[in-house]
Amino acid sequence: MKKKVVFIADSLDNAYKFQQVLSEFDVEISAGSTVQIKKLLAPSANLDLIIFEARGSARASLDEVVALADDRSCPMLAIVDEDALDSMRLPSIVPSDFVVHGAGSAECAARVRLLLNGSESQGRSDLITVDNMAINLATYQVTVGGDPVDFTYLEYALLSFLVRHPGHTFSRDALLQHVWGFDYYGGSRTVDVHVRRIRAKLGPDLAQRLETVRGVGYLWSA
């Protein structure tokens, strides 16, 4: 049986690109604009993947689509602008991923394939566990005690980077380069803000592992 994919976008460029990408898969596609979200994602729809272009005015509908994806236990791929990464939130219950607008067809196809294949394509190396916390590197999700934690993408990226390098102290500038990218021109104190948010969401026990090294930066204690 063909898997069912819903594609929601208001721009023609991504519609054309993903029409080509999805033609590589044996799927049944339903497509529409953001004004058709409720119809396309109706409770009666049996879906295997939602692809949503969360750009421009459609960005305001991202939380609605995320909630519907979680309610319908349907994986989701978001298409976002790079400047939206700091506030972006993806489904916390179902597998999810994103591509930045302008990503090549090969990258888009790889992320679609991962979400359509689900756990079949996920290896143990995609999962990091620390105490009662689990970080899924394939789906960008974090759970603590089995409960999903609502991180923005950059909060997740900072936490997962530090956890993957335990015992290594990174300066704020180094973290900006590794997590935010070399083209980030904001102040380095944004790292402090994100660290505070991560600690608050992790809870007191796990937060103790994210240590401040005075005069240097931060490390994840092993």
Side-chain angles (χ1 to χ4, degrees):
M1 179 180 294
K2 288 186 176 182
K3 293 188 175 182
K4 297 182 179 180
V5 177
V6 166
F7 179 82
I8 304 172
D10 292 335
S11 71
L12 292 177
D13 53 350
N14 277 313
Y16 176 77
K17 176 188 292 184
F18 275 86
Q19 181 183 27
Q20 301 302 309
V21 167
L22 292 170
S23 68
E24 303 176 16
F25 300 88
D26 186 24
V27 295
E28 179 182 323
I29 306 167
S30 299
S33 67
T34 51
V35 298
Q36 299 171 292
I37 286 175
K38 286 186 170 59
K39 177 181 178 181
L40 291 167
L41 304 181
S44 58
N46 184 18
L47 305 176
D48 297 289
L49 177 63
I50 298 166
I51 303 175
F52 177 59
E53 182 191 51
R55 301 178 58 243
S57 59
R59 189 189 299 185
S61 300
L62 179 58
D63 287 345
E64 178 186 3
V65 177
V66 164
L68 290 171
D70 273 338
D71 287 345
R72 285 146 184 73
S73 299
C74 181
M76 174 180 167
L77 178 69
I79 307 167
V80 299
D81 289 320
E82 189 170 358
D83 62 4
L85 293 178
D86 191 31
S87 59
M88 181 183 69
R89 286 179 171 80
L90 292 175
S92 56
I93 299 174
V94 298
S96 60
D97 205 343
F98 74 93
V99 290
V100 172
H101 175 64
S105 296
E107 178 183 352
C108 295
R111 297 185 186 278
V112 167
R113 185 176 297 106
L114 176 66
L115 290 170
L116 284 176
N117 291 342
S119 59
E120 298 173 7
S121 63
Q122 183 178 320
R124 289 186 177 182
S125 60
D126 293 327
L127 193 66
I128 299 175
T129 57
V130 179
D131 296 339
N132 66 337
M133 176 180 69
I135 300 176
N136 192 317
L137 301 178
T139 62
Y140 304 92
Q141 294 168 322
V142 180
T143 60
V144 175
D147 296 322
V149 182
D150 185 22
F151 285 114
T152 67
Y153 171 69
L154 283 174
E155 290 167 358
Y156 161 84
L158 178 57
L159 172 63
S160 62
F161 177 80
L162 289 168
V163 172
R164 283 184 285 121
H165 299 85
H168 189 123
T169 299
F170 292 92
S171 68
R172 292 176 178 84
D173 288 339
L175 290 171
L176 285 175
Q177 292 178 355
H178 285 293
V179 177
W180 276 257
F182 287 93
D183 57 349
Y184 181 79
Y185 297 104
S188 62
R189 291 297 171 181
T190 191
V191 177
D192 300 334
V193 173
H194 282 73
V195 166
R196 285 198 298 271
R197 292 173 180 168
I198 291 169
R199 284 171 172 161
K201 293 178 180 181
L202 288 178
D205 293 336
L206 284 166
Q208 294 178 13
R209 288 183 174 270
L210 210 175
E211 299 182 5
T212 301
V213 180
R214 189 174 298 277
V216 182
Y218 297 97
L219 71 79
W220 182 264
S221 172

